[in-house]
Each structure stands twice: as structure tokens, then as C-alpha cells.
Amino acid sequence: MESVINPIDGFVVDPSAIKYIGQDLQRPECILAERDGSLWSADARGGVMHIRPDGSQQLISQQTDSSFAQAASDEARYVSGTLPNGLAFARNGDVVISNFGTDRLELMARDGSSRVLADSIDGAPIGKVNFVLRDSRDRLWLTISTRTKNWMRAMSPAIADGYIALYDEGRLRIVADGFRFTNEIRLDANEEWLYVVETCGRRICRLRVLDDGSLSGRELFGPSDHGAFIDGIAFDAYGNLWGTHVMTDRVFAITPQGELRIVLDDDGDSPAGRALMAAFEQDTATPELMLACGGSIAPWFASVTFGGPDLRNVYIGSLRGTRIPYFRSPVAGLPMAHW
């Protein structure tokens, strides 16, 4: 039987080939891509930035919020005010927002009008709402990183209070618990497995999706410890799971066989990155050590999004960048529910 060559075998991004789109963005953590080439980027002013294929852009905000730009310190900037984080398209094109600042699941129409879908669960506050994913049945999968208000204080190997909730027919329920800072999640092509980033576990696991949305059979996928914090993930059409190492600024891919490949390294072996990881392992990481990290392409890589007409543009979302870098992939991304 002839072996199949993985399209990413030997692939490494040439930094000189990286291009940029967008300008003066604020915390473009998550990015959605449409077939026409439009991008929709989370924006700390309270909404999303619509970047058109010609490069023109328009901020669509739920409300004007200047707390990000006017925060007294770098730490305060990332833990206060409205912070749209994860994004998903509703079937009609509205934008579902997991708001890391207001701790709510929100729905915003393209004219900015908004409403809250959920702000509590089982009678208690949700916690730090991180990411939202819509499946083909229009169910919304939500990650809560931690129940600690200041998320930077939850960057600890000893805290495992993150969970996954499912919003279905107006009801929000917990379907898996006990994660070390739950971050982005993705479904595979057949929606049989849900892949989960544990940022403070420095690993990715997966759970089998049952018909009623229950999750079972949690198991490790890829390395047991990346030696770095993981943030966003996305599948390509071959089955490789791409992702980012946040703060140490790498883009990686995990093959279907679980092998880790680094395809872009912007800051991973810096003294600041090594100091942060050494402190984290001793449970002494501080916001100051975190904020000392970051590469030159777009500090604090956060997400990867496949877009462009052929789904081969890889856009990198970031927590501290002001524009969106992108490069060409040797393989197309896996089409999402809105494609």
C-alpha cells in the first residue's frame, strides 16, 4: 500500500513571506473568515472589526469602550472592561461573542445591536468565558477558562477549574469539567470528537461527542506537555491540528498520528520565554514575566484561522498585536460550519 505524504511534511514558514492586513486593531484575539475574503476580528473596544477584501475596515461595536486603551497598566488592560474574545458566526451571519471581560455569551447583529444569551449557569456566574464554537446543528460549545476573576492569577499548574458548556435550545449546561484553563476547542470533520486546549496543562485532549451533546472518553492528543502555553487551534483538510503557543509565539501543527511540528517560531527560545516557563513549573509565574514575552510578528500569538478563496491563508490572531499577520499553507483549512 502506497503511503500518503502529509502536506506539512518539511513545511516551515519563511518569515519574509509573512504579509499583514488590518491596522490599529485592539486585541485581535479571534478571527473569522468569510468566502468573499472578509475578516472579522475581535476588538477590545467592544465588538468586532470588519476587514474587507480591499483592506478597508469598519469597527462594529456593541458600545464604545475605552477601558482597554486607557487602562492604568498593562495588566489592567487585559483583565478589565469588555473583551470580546472567541467569535463564531450564527447561521444568519450574526456574530456570537464569548466576552472575556463581561463574562457573558453574547449575540451581536452586523449593525451592532446585541443581546445576552447567557450570563449564569446553574444560578452562578459563568466565569471567564473564553471561546465559542457553533456546530452543524447550531449548538454553541462554550469554554470557561477559570472561575477566577483575574485570569492572570489563574495561570497556575495547580488550578483546574475550567469547564466546557453547551448552549442548546436556550439552555446552558456543563458537559465537561476539571480543565487547566480551558481555551479554544474544535470539532473534527465528522463532529465525532471535540478537541480541547488546556493552556495551563500545556496540552490538548479530546472527548467523544455523543448525540445529546454529552462528552466522554477524555484522552490526550499529541504531546503530554508542549513546554509552552497553548491558545488557539484549527484543523486543516488533511487532519492536522494547527495551533499557537501564546506568549512564546509559535505556530505548530499536530499530525493525525500525534506528532508535533513547529512551523513558525517567533520567540520560543528567548530568555523571557524560558524564564516564564521555568517560573510556571514552580507555580511562581507573574503577570510581569508574562508581559515580558512576545515576538516581533504580533506579540502573544493567540489563534489560527484558515481563510482566503482556497482556505490556504493562515491568519494569526494575537493579544497584543495591532495588525493581523498571515502566510500561505501547503494545505487548505477544514471548512467551518459557516462555509
Side-chain angles (χ1 to χ4, degrees):
M1 180 178 177
E2 185 178 355
S3 61
V4 178
I5 297 176
N6 191 323
I8 67 165
D9 283 348
F11 175 68
V12 177
V13 177
D14 179 356
S16 68
I18 293 175
K19 299 179 180 179
Y20 294 86
I21 190 169
Q23 59 184 347
D24 300 322
L25 307 178
Q26 289 190 12
R27 200 177 179 275
E29 204 278 353
C30 184
I31 301 163
L32 298 179
E34 292 191 281
R35 289 181 182 274
D36 67 357
S38 293
L39 300 178
W40 299 76
S41 170
D43 194 282
R45 285 163 287 203
V48 297
M49 185 69 78
H50 179 202
I51 305 173
R52 303 178 184 88
D54 64 3
S56 63
Q57 59 188 49
Q58 176 188 8
L59 178 65
I60 302 174
S61 58
Q62 300 166 288
Q63 60 182 5
T64 301
D65 191 298
S66 59
S67 60
F68 181 85
Q70 297 177 2
S73 67
D74 281 341
E75 180 180 352
R77 181 170 293 142
Y78 292 93
V79 299
S80 63
T82 179
L83 288 176
N85 204 71
L87 307 176
F89 280 129
R91 187 173 294 277
N92 67 354
D94 289 348
V95 181
V96 185
I97 298 173
S98 54
N99 198 311
F100 203 63
T102 62
D103 298 343
R104 302 185 306 203
L105 178 63
E106 303 164 345
L107 181 66
M108 186 185 77
R110 296 196 178 195
D111 64 0
S113 58
S114 304
R115 62 187 177 95
V116 176
L117 295 179
D119 60 5
S120 64
I121 188 165
D122 297 332
I126 292 179
K128 299 311 296 180
V129 180
N130 189 303
F131 189 71
V132 60
L133 176 71
R134 181 174 69 88
D135 66 20
S136 62
R137 294 168 56 177
D138 289 338
R139 299 180 299 190
L140 298 176
W141 300 84
L142 188 67
T143 67
I144 290 75
S145 295
T146 176
R147 294 171 171 90
T148 304
K149 181 65 176 177
N150 184 336
W151 66 267
M152 284 188 174
R153 306 300 178 184
M155 296 296 287
S156 164
I159 297 176
D161 65 347
Y163 64 93
I164 299 169
L166 181 64
Y167 185 83
D168 187 19
E169 297 183 348
R171 176 174 174 252
L172 187 66
R173 61 187 172 98
I174 296 174
V175 289
D177 207 341
F179 297 95
R180 287 179 167 81
F181 207 92
T182 334
N183 212 307
E184 286 202 14
I185 51 177
R186 295 291 178 186
L187 292 160
D188 65 1
N190 296 322
E191 299 189 351
E192 295 175 341
W193 292 89
L194 184 72
Y195 290 72
V196 182
V197 168
E198 289 187 85
T199 297
C200 291
R202 304 195 302 190
R203 64 193 178 197
I204 296 170
C205 64
R206 68 177 188 173
L207 300 95
R208 186 171 292 280
V209 181
L210 305 182
D211 187 65
D212 66 353
S214 299
L215 300 174
S216 66
R218 180 174 171 178
E219 63 185 39
L220 182 71
F221 179 73
S224 60
D225 188 344
H226 282 231
F229 300 137
I230 310 167
D231 195 329
I233 50 175
F235 275 105
D236 67 26
Y238 184 83
N240 300 302
L241 183 63
W242 296 57
T244 60
H245 288 155
V246 65
M247 302 181 198
T248 48
D249 290 358
R250 300 185 191 94
V251 175
F252 65 84
I254 301 176
T255 70
Q257 294 75 35
E259 300 171 352
L260 178 68
R261 314 279 180 85
I262 303 298
V263 300
L264 174 63
D265 189 341
D266 191 38
D267 191 55
D269 197 36
S270 70
R274 292 196 299 271
L276 173 61
M277 289 303 119
F280 175 78
E281 289 164 7
Q282 298 299 315
D283 201 8
T284 57
T286 65
E288 291 74 22
L289 286 172
M290 298 177 206
L291 290 163
C293 296
S296 60
I297 294 174
W300 288 22
F301 288 178
S303 62
V304 284
T305 299
F306 287 90
D310 57 1
L311 282 174
R312 286 182 56 197
N313 287 347
V314 179
Y315 298 96
I316 303 174
S318 67
L319 293 174
R320 301 176 68 189
T322 57
R323 54 183 181 163
I324 298 170
Y326 68 98
F327 59 86
R328 295 286 288 168
S329 164
V331 59
L334 180 69
M336 299 302 293
H338 62 276
W339 279 76

